[in-house]
Amino acid sequence: VLMIVFNGFNIAEESTPRALRWIPKVSFIRWCSEGLAVNEFSGLRFSCKGARGPCCETGEQALERVSFGGSTVRGAAVAQAKLVGGLYVATLLVLRRSSPKFLRVEPPFGAPAAAAPSAAGAPRSVAWTAGAEASLQRVPFFVRGFARKRTEDYARGLADEGEGHDAGDILVTEEILLAAKEKQSSRGE
C-alpha cells in the first residue's frame, strides 16, 4: 500500500515526510509510473480553450505538475534495474547467510530396511528368473521401477528372516513377485 501511495501521482516527493522520503526511491510502482507517464506525455500539446481551473498546454507542464519534470524513460529504466539488481543481491546474501536446514529423510513406517550387507560387507545382489522378468514386463512402465524395487526389498527381507535363502545372492522368482504384490495390495499402496 505504501508503494502505491508514494508512486509519484498521489503525493509529490517534495511533500513526503522526511522519515518516509526513502519509500518513493525504492518503489517499483513509482518508477514504472514515472517511465510510462514520461513516455506518454513528452511532446504532447493540449488545448485549454473553455477549460475551467488549471490547464496544462504541453505534456511537459503536465509532468511538472506531478513532479516528473526532469524525468526520462531511461532514468526510470535504470532506477528499476538498480532496484531489481539490489534486491537480487540482498536475497543472495540472506540465503547464503542463513544456510537452509533440511530434515533427515526417514523411511516410511513399515518400509523395509536397507539391504543388509553380506558376510563380505557388500550389499547382496538380486537376480531375477526369466519368468519373474516376464511377469514384471506386464506391469505398466510408469510403475515398473517402483515394483522392481519393492519386490527386491521384499526378497531381501525374506532372506534376512532366513526363509530359504543363504547369505549369498538373492533370486526373485514368480512366487516372490506375487507375494510382494499381495503384500503391497494388503497395505493399500
Side-chain angles (χ1 to χ4, degrees):
V1 173
L2 284 176
M3 300 299 172
I4 294 172
V5 170
F6 294 104
N7 68 0
F9 288 117
N10 297 316
I11 297 176
E13 195 170 340
E14 298 81 29
S15 302
T16 305
R18 283 197 185 274
L20 303 176
R21 289 225 172 138
W22 60 272
I23 294 175
K25 297 202 180 348
V26 297
S27 172
F28 196 75
I29 295 172
R30 181 259 175 129
W31 293 112
C32 290
S33 300
E34 183 174 320
L36 288 171
V38 169
N39 186 53
E40 290 296 319
F41 284 95
S42 292
L44 289 182
R45 294 220 163 281
F46 304 109
S47 172
C48 290
K49 292 181 184 171
R52 289 192 219 172
C55 179
C56 298
E57 292 183 356
T58 65
E60 285 72 20
Q61 289 174 345
L63 290 170
E64 190 64 45
R65 287 184 58 113
V66 290
S67 301
F68 292 162
S71 302
T72 63
V73 174
R74 180 186 173 105
V78 167
Q80 288 174 2
K82 286 180 182 178
L83 186 61
V84 169
L87 291 174
Y88 276 132
V89 169
T91 301
L92 178 66
L93 293 175
V94 168
L95 288 175
R96 282 194 175 168
R97 184 172 171 245
S98 66
S99 62
K101 313 292 186 279
F102 298 101
L103 293 175
R104 198 171 138 223
V105 177
E106 301 277 336
F109 179 73
S118 65
R124 298 181 193 177
S125 63
V126 179
W128 288 65
T129 64
E133 279 287 351
S135 295
L136 186 64
Q137 291 304 313
R138 290 193 294 269
V139 173
F141 73 92
F142 52 89
V143 291
R144 195 173 297 145
F146 176 77
R148 176 182 292 276
K149 182 180 179 332
R150 285 297 180 126
T151 302
E152 289 177 358
D153 289 345
Y154 177 77
R156 283 188 185 99
L158 289 177
D160 291 342
E161 293 170 9
E163 294 189 23
H165 295 282
D166 58 11
D169 293 343
I170 299 169
L171 183 65
V172 175
T173 62
E174 290 177 84
E175 292 78 24
I176 290 177
L177 181 63
L178 183 60
K181 178 183 173 188
E182 288 175 3
K183 182 177 179 188
Q184 290 299 112
S185 297
S186 68
R187 276 197 211 168
E189 295 181 10

